[in-house]
Amino acid sequence: MQLRTTRDSMQEIAFRLDFPDQSFFNRYFKKHTGITPLEYRRSRGSLLVSF
């Protein structure tokens, strides 16, 4: 969900989710979803609202 609701970097999200590094987070995410976190973020769009 953080991929859609924040503009935080993949590194910041990986750290927040207690992954040892961004590379491990990317591999884990791709293994379980079939796409990279960046592909997910781009394909799903953002839920952020600008005021």
Side-chain angles (χ1 to χ4, degrees), residues 4-45:
R4 294 178 61 198
T5 59
T6 71
R7 289 190 176 106
D8 295 347
S9 70
M10 298 303 149
Q11 184 173 358
E12 291 170 310
I13 293 171
F15 178 76
R16 195 174 305 117
L17 296 175
D18 291 326
F19 282 91
D21 56 50
Q22 178 183 344
S23 177
F24 188 84
F25 170 65
N26 288 347
R27 289 192 311 270
Y28 180 90
F29 190 93
K30 186 168 184 172
K31 179 180 178 182
H32 292 278
T33 65
I35 59 174
T36 67
L38 186 55
E39 290 170 332
Y40 176 85
R41 182 177 265 177
R42 287 180 177 161
S43 70
R44 302 300 191 269

